[in-house]
Coordinates of all heavy atoms in Angstrom, one line a residue:
Chain E
F260 N 126.5 -118.6 -64.4 CA 126.5 -118.2 -63.0 C 127.6 -118.7 -62.2 O 128.1 -118.0 -61.3 CB 125.0 -118.5 -62.4 CG 124.0 -117.5 -62.8 CD1 123.0 -117.8 -63.8 CD2 123.8 -116.3 -62.1 CE1 122.0 -116.8 -64.0 CE2 122.9 -115.4 -62.3 CZ 122.0 -115.6 -63.4
M263 N 130.8 -117.0 -62.3 CA 130.9 -115.8 -61.4 C 131.2 -116.1 -59.9 O 131.9 -115.3 -59.3 CB 129.6 -115.1 -61.5 CG 129.4 -114.3 -62.8 SD 127.9 -113.4 -62.6 CE 127.0 -114.0 -64.0
T316 N 113.6 -117.7 -68.8 CA 113.7 -116.5 -69.4 C 114.0 -115.4 -68.4 O 114.9 -114.5 -68.7 CB 112.5 -116.1 -70.2 OG1 111.4 -116.5 -69.4 CG2 112.5 -116.7 -71.6
A317 N 113.5 -115.4 -67.3 CA 113.7 -114.4 -66.3 C 115.2 -114.4 -65.8 O 115.9 -113.3 -65.7 CB 112.9 -114.7 -64.9
L318 N 115.8 -115.6 -65.7 CA 117.1 -115.7 -65.4 C 118.1 -115.2 -66.4 O 119.0 -114.6 -66.1 CB 117.5 -117.2 -65.0 CG 117.0 -117.7 -63.7 CD1 117.2 -119.1 -63.6 CD2 117.7 -116.9 -62.5
E319 N 117.7 -115.6 -67.7 CA 118.4 -115.1 -68.9 C 118.5 -113.6 -68.9 O 119.6 -112.9 -69.2 CB 118.0 -115.7 -70.1 CG 118.5 -117.1 -70.3 CD 117.7 -117.8 -71.4 OE1 116.7 -117.3 -71.9 OE2 118.2 -119.0 -71.6
S320 N 117.4 -113.0 -68.6 CA 117.4 -111.4 -68.7 C 118.1 -110.8 -67.5 O 118.8 -109.9 -67.7 CB 116.0 -110.9 -68.7 OG 115.2 -111.3 -67.6
L321 N 118.1 -111.5 -66.4 CA 118.9 -111.1 -65.2 C 120.5 -111.1 -65.6 O 121.2 -110.2 -65.3 CB 118.7 -112.0 -64.0 CG 119.6 -111.7 -62.8 CD1 119.2 -110.4 -62.1 CD2 119.5 -112.9 -61.8
L322 N 120.8 -112.2 -66.3 CA 122.2 -112.4 -66.6 C 122.6 -111.3 -67.6 O 123.6 -110.7 -67.5 CB 122.4 -113.8 -67.3 CG 123.9 -114.2 -67.4 CD1 124.5 -114.5 -66.1 CD2 123.9 -115.6 -68.2
A323 N 121.7 -111.0 -68.6 CA 121.9 -109.9 -69.6 C 122.0 -108.6 -69.0 O 122.7 -107.7 -69.5 CB 120.8 -110.0 -70.7
S324 N 121.3 -108.3 -67.8 CA 121.3 -107.0 -67.2 C 122.6 -106.7 -66.4 O 122.8 -105.6 -66.1 CB 120.1 -106.9 -66.4 OG 120.3 -107.6 -65.2
M325 N 123.4 -107.8 -66.2 CA 124.7 -107.6 -65.4 C 125.6 -106.8 -66.5 O 125.7 -107.0 -67.6 CB 125.3 -108.9 -65.2 CG 124.6 -109.7 -64.1 SD 125.2 -109.5 -62.5 CE 126.8 -110.0 -62.5
P326 N 126.3 -105.7 -65.9 CA 127.3 -105.1 -66.6 C 128.3 -106.1 -67.3 O 128.9 -107.0 -66.6 CB 128.0 -104.1 -65.7 CG 127.5 -104.4 -64.4 CD 126.3 -105.4 -64.5
G327 N 128.6 -105.9 -68.5 CA 129.5 -106.9 -69.3 C 130.8 -107.1 -68.6 O 131.3 -108.2 -68.6
F328 N 131.3 -105.9 -68.2 CA 132.7 -106.0 -67.7 C 132.9 -106.9 -66.4 O 133.9 -107.5 -66.2 CB 133.3 -104.7 -67.6 CG 133.0 -103.8 -66.4 CD1 133.5 -103.9 -65.1 CD2 131.8 -103.0 -66.5 CE1 133.2 -103.2 -64.0 CE2 131.4 -102.3 -65.4 CZ 132.1 -102.3 -64.1
V329 N 131.8 -106.9 -65.6 CA 131.9 -107.6 -64.4 C 131.8 -109.1 -64.7 O 132.7 -109.9 -64.2 CB 130.6 -107.3 -63.5 CG1 130.6 -108.2 -62.3 CG2 130.8 -105.9 -63.0
T330 N 130.9 -109.5 -65.7 CA 130.8 -111.0 -66.0 C 132.2 -111.3 -66.7 O 132.6 -112.4 -66.4 CB 129.7 -111.1 -67.1 OG1 128.9 -110.0 -67.0 CG2 128.9 -112.3 -66.8

Side-chain angles (χ1 to χ4, degrees):
Chain E
F260 278 99
M263 284 188 239
T316 39
L318 284 170
E319 276 162 358
S320 58
L321 173 72
L322 196 65
S324 71
M325 293 268 295
F328 74 91
V329 174
T330 346

